[in-house]
Amino acid sequence: MNAALATLASNLLYHGYDGTEGFTGFANEGTWIIFAVILVPVYIMLIAWFTGEPRDTKSGLLGVSYLVGLTTSMWVGMFFLTLLIGIVFYGGMPEPVGAPGP
């Protein structure tokens, strides 16, 4: 009886989608594409701040600190939103924080 209710609840809540065993976490395909391909102009900009002419190390470090601050605020905000969405819509914490999926 409990197994039937668990299966019914899983089908109603998850619509047949299960966890992605062994493939969740930080370094999946999308992460590599973003950091290796899409952010190339940002990497070039950062290098140019410190190797270009005229050099201004103080302004370069200020720019780096702004980029790190913005990136950190976005990642932390999305992390908390992910946790909130997991709790509200899926009944528990997402896999890297909570228990592994099925």
Side-chain angles (χ1 to χ4, degrees), residues 66-82:
Y66 280 142
L67 283 174
V68 168
L70 286 170
T71 305
T72 302
S73 66
M74 287 189 294
W75 278 72
V76 169
M78 289 305 297
F79 175 72
F80 285 119
L81 282 175
T82 301

Side-chain angles (χ1 to χ4, degrees), residues 6 18-19 25 31 44 53 56 65 70 74 86 95:
D18 289 327
T31 304
I44 293 171
E53 293 292 331
D56 188 4
S65 64
L70 286 170
M74 287 189 294
E95 189 171 309

